[in-house]
Amino acid sequence: QVQVVESGGGLVQAGGSLRLSCTASGLTFDDYSMGWFRQAPGKEREGVSCITQSAGWTYYADSVKGRFTISRDNAKNTLYLQMNSLKSEDTAMYYCAATNLPSGCAYYRTASANTRFNYWGQGTQVTVSS
């Protein structure tokens, strides 16, 4: 049984930092590209960042580029998202998800991400106060 569990969310002031973690079990972690997604109240879920299986390639939404860093530790089956210079518009529920599709990160910013990514966590809330 595959489990994906996010942690590290919380309340932070604007300009502050948080590091999210996502641990996956029940799958061969390094066979999967991993993505971070977020959903703000009243908005659709959007792709934030994605990293390929071997961490050779990383991708970022324009809104977080230069502020967020995605990384992974395949030995620990763990994905990270370091978030710096946080803004109020970063407030959202953050989810991580896994895909074993070839070139899986090509889908993380598309409408089909919900189906292209096989496994999803329950999310961790990030709230940035201004």
Side-chain angles (χ1 to χ4, degrees):
Q1 182 181 354
V2 175
Q3 284 192 316
V4 178
V5 180
E6 303 94 338
S7 62
L11 174 64
V12 63
Q13 287 188 334
S17 298
L18 280 175
R19 188 175 83 153
L20 305 184
S21 299
C22 168
T23 301
S25 59
L27 51 72
T28 304
F29 188 70
D30 50 8
D31 283 347
Y32 287 77
S33 294
M34 299 295 296
W36 283 103
F37 301 80
R38 67 186 181 187
Q39 187 167 21
K43 294 187 177 182
E44 292 189 355
R45 188 158 57 187
E46 64 165 342
V48 174
S49 184
C50 194
I51 187 167
T52 56
Q53 291 93 327
S54 61
W57 296 93
T58 57
Y59 304 89
Y60 298 93
D62 287 345
S63 59
V64 306
K65 204 171 291 183
R67 301 188 297 121
F68 290 11
T69 302
I70 191 171
S71 62
R72 64 191 294 163
D73 185 336
N74 286 347
K76 295 182 179 180
N77 281 20
T78 302
L79 174 74
Y80 303 100
L81 186 68
Q82 177 67 44
M83 305 187 296
N84 298 329
S85 303
L86 282 161
K87 305 175 181 179
S88 57
E89 51 263 45
D90 295 317
T91 294
M93 185 71 79
Y94 282 71
Y95 301 88
C96 77
T99 178
N100 61 355
L101 286 176
S103 303
C105 281
Y107 303 104
Y108 89 105
R109 294 278 293 171
T110 70
S112 64
N114 285 346
T115 54
R116 301 284 187 173
F117 281 75
N118 313 68
Y119 303 109
W120 292 80
Q122 293 299 304
T124 186
Q125 177 68 38
V126 172
T127 303
V128 183
S129 63
S130 56

